[in-house]
Amino acid sequence: MKKATSRFLTALVYVFLFAPIVILLIFSFNDSKSLSVFSGFSFRWYTELVKDRHTLEAVRNTLVLAASATAISTVMGTAAAWGIDRLRSRWYRTVVDTVTDIPMTNPDIITGISMMLMFVFVGRLFGARSSLNFWTLLIAHVTFCLPYVILQVLPKLQQMDRALPEAAMDLGCTPLRAFFKVELPEMLPGIVTGAIMAFTLSLDDFVISYFTSGTGFQTLPIRIYSMTKKTVTPKMYALATIIFFITLTLLLISNFIETADEENAKQKCKKSKAD
Amino acid sequence: MNKSAQRVLLEALLDQSLRGFQAAPQRELRRLVDLGETLSQNPVQQAFFDFAQGCLRQQDTPFFDLFRTLTQNVNHQAIKQLGLNVGYESWSRGAQRIQAQEAEQGHHIPWTLVFQSERDIPPQAVGRLGGVLAQGRQLGLHTFFFHISEGGVPAAALLPLADEFSDCAFVLLFAPGQLTPELVPKLAARPNVMAFASALDQAAAARAKQLCERRALYGLWAPYTRGVTAPELEALTRLAWELHAPMVLLAAEGCGREGAEQTAQVVQQLRQQPRQPVFPVELGSDLLFVDRIISGTGQLVQVYPSGRVTANGQSAPLCLDGHTLWAVLFIVIPMLFIAYYAFTDNNFNFTTENITRFFTSVSSLRNEDGTVTEVHTYLLIFLRSLKLAVLSTIICLLIGYPMAYRIAHASKRAQKIMMTLIMIPMWMNFLIRTYAWMTILQDAGVLNRFLSAAGLPSIHIIGTEGAVLIGMVYDYLPYMILPIYSVMVKMDLSLLEAARDLGCGSLSVLRRVIFPLSLPGVISGITMVLIPSISTFYISQKLGNGKFFLIGDAIEGQYVSNNLHFAAAMAFILMVILLFFMALVKYSTSRYLYGGEAK
């Protein structure tokens, strides 16, 4: 009896979590404009979505931004993790850790406002009329993605046997070659999950983008925000459904990589035990 | 000298080995290194013996010859004393001391000091040396290098120090003409001193012969001003071999980084394939190599008699500096801009008006019965945000804690699926999620259609605080479940069993074992829910019909109306309060987790 109750309550939480998503999926295929009565199945809103030039442009912008932010933050984050791993000075490490944590613990609204203020101030110094554009948005996205990349890569480096790159160099590798041959493959799972995290975070971010983007460059979440200011057609639900499936795929991929990584580690462990 | 039992044991072992060398040098040396590797207790020793193993891997490596001539030509007391001072005092005990103090004090400690030569040193500099060495030894340094040149610290002044610091190794690099015949017997009498004659010295051969006759430990050294090539190095080692010197030391002098790196590489190559029974050393890179083994990063500290100290090591790698620069530019400086804008007016003159406006601004509120009350606009908004944020955090905790518990105690496969299901909604754009709730909760929305279909009365929920709470709980619930789950899944289940075995009831186990252990997860869950929910600005607009203005909405509103200074002031106040809150949480939990509570 007790067990059944607990099961029921757990199921209830999942219903709560998925109710809006399911409703959204269903009504994206609704034939009419209503968001509460399902009058028939159709792809009407999907075709309307494809015709919406502004939304498509926002999609393109978002992808360009997410891809650039991911590339930059992944490279920088990996390099930073590599550096942090080699850091011995404790106070410097504390400082780096604290500063890296700031974008993760600070509310988004404060991160967004703080950057916006700086960009506006610097822009005013140079006499620009509107200082918020693609580049400020990119800087903001790289900044909030960086800690997540570092947090994914750093554990991989810490798990790595420190003797490995040394051994490679003893065997005649140059430090650069040892990095690419030994350290990079060890870091790779962390880099990939870090990159995927950065990509999805950048794709999904609204609050920071809202403050740091100008009128010239609209991302999808900002477009959605302006769409929801007025009454909304199920067109937006169609869009959400598509985004949902894309992020779901990415999530499954990263999950898969993680599992494969774990399996790999397990097998390595078994092997070394067998030896 | 007070010797540790370990050192006495090692000395006896080494004595025995040195005697055995005469008969079977190869076997004896291999045995010694194997033994050393088995006995080594820390990575530093391990690295040293690994390195020695590597050198001896080839059957016919000239290094065997090296040790044979060494044991034949040199006073065993000197090998023992110098070897153990470097290998044991410096690289084992000293290294442990260095590591312990580095961990404690947080800054880098080099394993050795190189005393450079300098002309016209002040007379008191020589007197100060003893103090410097004593401080070094205090930190765990037991190896010291000295450049002896004209006008610098005289070798004669160092020898009493070598007697005083008998557990330290003294390596003296003599400039041409400095290694005089009178010094030879004095050097030979001190087993913890190794003299290096300069290859540029005309009298090097004669001095080497004298040192050899007295069975002293000595080597050959040469300064270089550009990269040393392989043939040059080989010529040097041949010269050393002719002089029966087992070691050649190269020291960069006014040579660029490139030259030093090239030389270090040539030295390493020759070490891997030695032609002569002579061990080549590039002073800078090899000292750094040892330092890196001990401390993780390398630092070469040079001391000048005048008191100048230089440290040209590789501290923080460059790539980190890139990240630090970025973080300072785009995280730290923007935060300072919040404070700057908060305390200035539109012309950037200092003012506290923005801050006082937050606390004193008053507006009138019309009550239902027609009366009007004066309220503090922004204080009211802030308190409302706080109330909703705290409520949603409590609700998230009440739902999330049992959920996390249930998931953590499911089978491994089920855990994975359940956690993925928790995370999927997180990846949905939160604007859309929130909007979907709006359509569900509307008066003519899905929920009410459901209720009426079931024959129940419809409810009005949109535009109430309840609706805002539902939105907040929905958006942030996963942030509560995730950290609690990750703590619970690592919990040692045998502790729960032990508590039950000791007579704890289920509730008691939960209260006394599970909850205290899961507290770190609960704390991070609370901060992860409270912080975004107190600063949110979309949920209240949509689900509260704009009736429940929150602090986030207020900031956004000021931003939209281009009132940046007041927006910054509110962000600043919010930031300060949150920082205070976080510090409070950290303080109280660290006390709860690590102190007191020992009933």
Side-chain angles (χ1 to χ4, degrees), chain A residues 10 17 88 200 210 225 228, chain B residues 295 406 427 474 538 542 556:
Chain A
T10 312
L17 282 176
R88 261 304 161 109
T200 43
Y210 178 73
Y225 178 71
T228 55
Chain B
S295 308
R406 173 117 172 73
W427 299 98
Y474 180 80
Y538 183 77
K542 285 294 143 196
E556 190 237 4

Side-chain angles (χ1 to χ4, degrees), chain B residues 44-198:
Chain B
V44 182
Q45 287 171 321
Q46 195 86 41
F48 171 71
F49 285 109
D50 281 352
F51 176 75
Q53 286 275 27
C55 288
L56 300 178
R57 200 148 292 152
Q58 278 169 293
Q59 277 295 327
D60 49 353
T61 168
F63 285 136
F64 287 117
D65 279 336
L66 191 156
F67 279 91
R68 191 167 48 230
T69 48
L70 205 63
T71 47
Q72 275 168 7
N73 293 346
V74 180
N75 177 0
H76 284 189
Q77 183 59 32
I79 300 179
K80 223 164 59 183
Q81 184 97 6
L82 200 82
L84 287 180
N85 281 0
V86 175
Y88 175 69
E89 301 291 352
S90 184
W91 288 354
S92 305
R93 260 162 47 108
Q96 276 167 6
R97 226 185 136 73
I98 288 173
Q99 285 168 341
Q101 293 187 67
E102 275 178 344
E104 198 179 294
Q105 300 171 2
H107 57 71
H108 185 102
I109 298 171
W111 74 277
T112 180
L113 292 177
V114 180
F115 291 85
Q116 285 293 348
S117 61
E118 214 174 19
R119 281 185 168 274
D120 306 322
I121 53 158
Q124 65 270 32
V126 180
R128 275 201 304 250
L129 263 179
V132 175
L133 294 187
Q135 276 180 39
R137 187 162 64 175
Q138 194 71 31
L139 290 171
L141 276 63
H142 285 83
T143 312
F144 301 106
F145 289 79
F146 294 89
H147 281 276
I148 312 281
S149 66
E150 206 188 334
V153 180
L158 287 176
L159 295 175
L161 286 174
D163 292 335
E164 192 187 332
F165 294 85
S166 60
D167 57 343
C168 296
F170 286 71
V171 182
L172 311 186
L173 309 174
F174 288 92
Q178 290 299 303
L179 186 53
T180 54
E182 299 81 67
L183 273 175
V184 168
K186 289 182 189 162
L187 290 169
R190 289 181 169 82
N192 61 334
V193 175
M194 185 165 180
F196 278 82
S198 171

Side-chain angles (χ1 to χ4, degrees), chain A residues 6-7 10 13-14 16-21 23-24 27 35-37 76 79-80 82-84 86-92 96 99-100 102-103 105-107 109-110 113-121 124 132 139 142-143 146 150 166 170 200 204 206-207 210-211 221 224-225 228-232 236-237 240 244 247-248 251 255 259 262, chain B residues 102-103 106 272 289 294-297 316-317 319-324 326-327 329-335 337-338 340-341 348 399 403 406-407 416 418 420-422 424-433 435-437 439-440 444-446 449 470 473-474 477 531 535 537-538 541-542 552 555-556 559-560 564 567-568 571 574-575 578 582:
Chain A
S6 131
R7 273 209 181 154
T10 312
V13 172
Y14 279 111
F16 173 63
L17 282 176
F18 280 87
I21 295 175
I23 284 176
L24 194 145
F27 282 96
L35 287 172
S36 49
V37 188
M76 274 183 64
W82 193 83
I84 290 172
R86 266 155 194 72
L87 214 54
R88 261 304 161 109
S89 157
R90 184 175 277 196
W91 74 266
Y92 191 37
V96 170
V99 170
T100 310
I102 289 177
T105 48
N106 240 355
I109 194 168
I110 286 182
I113 286 266
S114 71
M115 287 197 169
M116 178 271 294
L117 291 176
M118 183 177 78
F119 293 143
V120 167
F121 187 83
R124 196 176 287 182
L132 299 172
I139 289 172
V142 170
T143 306
L146 260 176
I150 294 176
E166 305 254 338
D170 285 350
T200 43
D204 199 47
F206 163 66
V207 177
Y210 178 73
F211 288 106
I224 293 171
Y225 178 71
T228 55
K229 285 226 150 172
K230 298 164 236 150
T231 37
V232 173
M236 200 188 74
Y237 281 11
F244 175 72
T247 37
L248 187 66
L251 191 68
N255 232 335
T259 332
E262 270 164 28
Chain B
E102 275 178 344
Q272 272 159 21
F289 176 71
I294 295 174
S295 308
T297 56
C319 36
L320 180 67
D321 292 345
H323 168 245
T324 314
W326 184 281
L329 267 183
F330 300 120
I331 297 172
V332 178
I333 292 181
M335 305 256 291
F337 266 100
I338 290 192
Y340 180 59
Y341 268 78
F348 292 101
I399 301 176
M403 266 310 267
R406 173 117 172 73
I407 298 173
K416 193 131 210 164
M418 286 167 103
T420 313
L421 286 177
I422 293 283
I424 286 173
M426 278 170 78
W427 299 98
M428 191 88 210
N429 186 292
F430 106 100
L431 302 169
I432 296 178
R433 274 184 307 193
Y435 195 84
W437 270 110
T439 61
I440 292 175
V446 178
R449 275 180 196 281
I470 288 179
V473 169
Y474 180 80
L477 181 61
I531 287 176
S535 60
F537 73 82
Y538 183 77
Q541 286 173 15
K542 285 294 143 196
I555 294 176
E556 190 237 4
Y559 166 69
V560 170
L564 297 186
L574 182 62
M575 199 164 78
L578 286 181
M582 303 262 281

Side-chain angles (χ1 to χ4, degrees), chain A residues 64-77 100 103 111 115 119 134-150 194 198-199 201-202 205 208-209 212, chain B residues 322-323 326-327 330-331:
Chain A
V64 169
L65 177 69
S68 337
T70 304
I72 297 172
S73 62
T74 306
V75 170
M76 274 183 64
T100 310
T111 311
M115 287 197 169
F119 293 143
F134 169 75
W135 300 106
T136 55
L137 200 56
L138 181 62
I139 289 172
H141 277 231
V142 170
T143 306
F144 73 72
C145 287
L146 260 176
Y148 293 91
V149 176
I150 294 176
F199 191 76
L201 280 170
S202 168
D205 173 71
I208 295 173
S209 307
T212 52
Chain B
H323 168 245
W326 184 281
F330 300 120
I331 297 172

